[in-house]
């Protein structure tokens, strides 16, 4: 549900959805990091009775500092919920550290409510390490499979979400196209009229059928994440 990415959208999800990875993909500068932070805040807010609950946010330090997230109106930047977002900085192109994190995920106690990885493909540049697209895609698949195994293990103990974001340019397909076997939801951002964006779930989950889906129209204005409209459309099965 796209509502989870906006203030008051809640953080609950079905067991079927938690079995797979959620992907948020869209063009550059469409507010993906802002949507991810709001997703984390909603999740923490819905689990406010436990101070031990937390969310891990994995990103590149320079990217987060140069493009900080915009919050929804009414959310104070000093909210106590932000203390429960544990930011883990990973160097750009350092896929090895990402792989090691998920390989040791079973050692965490307690498990986080969610692990969010911002700009996943940023850790897999086409360089001497991955000198062709196929080698890069295989490396991404290995980390996806490892993270998915970590997610399934964590969910045996307590609910855990795994959310990745990725950037694609106009006319391109999302980079995390490789395999839908690990994905439970794909949320796609598209440019809309006049500095607005559309967010919708473009992956239909079998066994979790609903007669309709929801599209969100939002914008980034005056340094705020603004939800403009929610509209429903019939799902094609």
């Amino acid at each position: 549900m796209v509502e989870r990415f906006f203030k008051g959208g809640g953080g609950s999800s079905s067991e079927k959805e938690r079995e797979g990875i959620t992907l948020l993909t869209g063009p550059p500068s469409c507010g993906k990091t802002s949507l991810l932070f709001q997703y984390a805040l909603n999740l923490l807010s819905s689990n406010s009775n436990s101070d031990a609950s937390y969310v891990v946010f994995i990103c590149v330090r320079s990217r987060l500092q140069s493009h900080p997230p915009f919050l929804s109106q009414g959310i104070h930047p000093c909210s106590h919920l932000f203390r429960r977002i544990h930011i883990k900085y990973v160097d750009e192109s350092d896929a090895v550290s990402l792989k090691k994190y998920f390989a040791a995920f079973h050692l965490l106690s307690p498990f986080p409510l969610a692990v969010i990885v911002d700009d996943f493909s940023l850790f897999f540049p086409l360089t001497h390490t991955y000198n062709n697209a196929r080698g890069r895609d295989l490396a991404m698949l290995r980390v996806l499979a490892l993270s998915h195994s970590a997610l399934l293990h964590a969910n045996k103990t307590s609910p855990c979400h795994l959310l990745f974001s990725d950037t694609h340019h106009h006319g391109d397909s999302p980079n995390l196209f490789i395999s839908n076997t690990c994905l439970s939801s794909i949320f796609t951002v598209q440019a809309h009229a006049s500095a607005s964006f559309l967010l919708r779930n473009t992956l239909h989950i079998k066994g979790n059928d609903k007669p309709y889906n929801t599209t969100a129209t939002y914008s980034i204005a005056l340094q705020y994440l603004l939800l403009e409209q929610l509209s429903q459309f019939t799902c094609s099965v």
Side-chain angles (χ1 to χ4, degrees), residues 20-235:
I21 300 169
T22 297
L23 170 65
L24 172 66
T25 180
S29 303
C30 67
K32 292 187 297 295
T33 302
S34 300
L35 295 171
L36 295 178
F37 260 84
Q38 187 60 62
Y39 182 99
L41 289 172
N42 287 344
L43 201 56
L44 290 168
S45 180
S46 64
N47 289 269
S48 58
N49 293 330
S50 174
D51 291 334
S53 60
Y54 65 102
V55 170
V56 176
F57 194 96
I58 301 175
C59 61
V60 175
R61 182 191 294 268
S62 59
R63 289 298 183 100
L64 187 64
Q65 291 178 342
S66 61
H67 298 87
F70 296 112
L71 306 177
S72 299
Q73 286 183 309
I75 295 180
H76 198 282
C78 294
S79 169
H80 70 283
L81 293 177
F82 286 105
R83 294 196 295 269
R84 291 160 58 193
I85 299 179
H86 298 182
I87 297 180
K88 177 179 175 60
Y89 292 116
V90 176
D91 291 337
E92 189 171 338
S93 77
D94 188 8
V96 174
S97 292
L98 202 60
K99 186 176 179 179
K100 288 180 177 178
Y101 175 78
F102 287 113
F105 195 76
H106 63 284
L107 299 176
L108 296 178
S109 181
F111 291 116
L113 292 174
V115 178
I116 298 174
V117 182
D118 195 13
D119 255 333
F120 180 66
S121 62
L122 197 64
F123 303 106
F124 303 85
L126 280 173
T127 61
H128 64 280
T129 305
Y130 313 110
N131 54 15
N132 59 72
R134 179 170 174 77
R136 177 177 181 260
D137 292 348
L138 289 174
M140 294 171 72
L141 256 182
R142 292 188 190 102
V143 175
L144 278 173
L146 187 61
S147 65
H148 187 234
S149 295
L151 175 71
L152 294 178
H153 175 75
N155 271 297
K156 293 177 182 177
T157 304
S158 57
C160 182
H161 303 72
L162 188 53
L163 176 61
F164 288 77
S165 78
D166 196 47
T167 299
H168 69 266
H169 297 271
H170 180 70
D172 293 341
S173 298
N175 289 327
L176 290 187
F177 49 54
I178 312 174
S179 170
N180 285 348
T181 57
C182 293
L183 300 178
S184 61
S185 298
I186 298 178
F187 291 91
T188 303
V189 178
Q190 295 177 322
H192 191 46
S194 179
S196 293
F197 300 95
L198 292 177
L199 174 65
R200 65 172 58 183
N201 188 344
T202 55
L203 175 63
H204 186 70
I205 309 169
K206 293 181 180 180
N208 193 35
D209 298 337
K210 292 183 178 180
Y212 63 87
N213 204 340
T214 305
T215 296
T217 305
Y218 72 93
S219 61
I220 305 293
L222 301 175
Q223 297 188 334
Y224 286 111
L225 174 64
L226 301 176
L227 174 62
E228 299 176 356
Q229 183 181 6
L230 289 172
S231 54
Q232 294 179 350
F233 62 93
T234 303
C235 293

